Amino acid sequence: MHQHIAHITLVVKDYDEALAFYTKKLHFEIIEDTFISAEKRWVRIAPKNSKACCLLLAKAANETQKEYIGNQTGGRVFLFLYTNNFWEDYQQMKRNDIHFLEEPRKEPYGTVVVFQDLYGNKWDLIEPNIS
C-alpha cells in the first residue's frame, strides 16, 4: 500500500486576499482554482517546484470556522516551509513585509525563524542541516 498526504486545509477569510498573499508575498503557485459555487472554490497552492503536498484554501463557511482563522493549532507553529537557501528566502520575505516573530536562529536540526501569514498562522522557515 502507498499513501501520502495530498492537501492540508487552511481556513481563510477570503480566497482572493489569501491568494494575493501567498502568490505575491511567498511566491507560491496556484495549482488549481476551480469555482464550485458562488461561495465555494477548490483552491490549491504550493511553493514553486513543490507539488507533492498542497495547501487547500477553504473559505470559512460559518461563525465557528471563522473563529479558527489564523489559529488552527491553538497558537503553535502550524506549517513548516523548508528551503535550501534560508538567507535568500528570509531576505526576500523581509522585502515582502512578512511579519517575523523572532530573529533567525541555529538549532541542531538547521536554521529556522518563525513568521506569520496574513491571518496570524505561525510558520517555520527552515533550512535543515544535511547529515
Side-chain angles (χ1 to χ4, degrees):
M1 178 187 322
H2 174 77
Q3 297 178 336
H4 70 278
I5 295 174
H7 318 305
I8 297 171
T9 300
L10 180 63
V11 180
V12 301
K13 185 170 64 171
D14 178 81
Y15 291 114
D16 293 324
E17 100 182 332
L19 278 173
F21 175 84
Y22 285 104
T23 60
K24 292 185 169 92
K25 301 241 181 203
L26 294 182
H27 302 288
F28 282 26
E29 294 180 323
I30 298 170
I31 307 304
E32 180 179 3
D33 187 358
T34 302
F35 287 77
I36 296 171
S37 69
E39 289 296 315
K40 187 172 182 178
R41 289 157 61 178
W42 185 259
V43 181
R44 296 184 305 128
I45 61 172
K48 289 184 179 182
N49 303 313
S50 174
K51 307 203 179 26
C53 183
C54 302
L55 288 180
L56 175 66
L57 303 182
K59 183 178 174 183
N62 56 49
E63 291 305 313
T64 301
Q65 290 177 8
K66 287 178 184 176
E67 291 176 16
Y68 288 95
I69 294 172
N71 191 21
Q72 292 187 204
T73 57
R76 303 254 340 203
V77 170
F78 177 41
L79 297 163
F80 300 81
L81 182 60
Y82 274 47
T83 179
N84 64 354
N85 193 330
F86 179 89
W87 293 107
E88 181 179 319
D89 288 343
Y90 174 72
Q91 292 301 327
Q92 179 66 47
M93 291 167 76
K94 282 180 68 171
R95 286 190 296 275
N96 287 339
D97 297 321
I98 297 299
H99 179 67
F100 290 94
L101 298 177
E102 62 184 14
E103 292 300 315
R105 64 188 193 281
K106 295 277 189 185
E107 294 290 343
Y109 54 84
T111 305
V112 63
V113 68
V114 178
F115 70 94
Q116 288 180 309
D117 66 16
L118 75 163
Y119 298 116
N121 292 299
K122 292 180 183 175
W123 291 64
D124 273 359
L125 174 66
I126 302 173
E127 181 174 354
N129 290 334
I130 298 173
S131 304

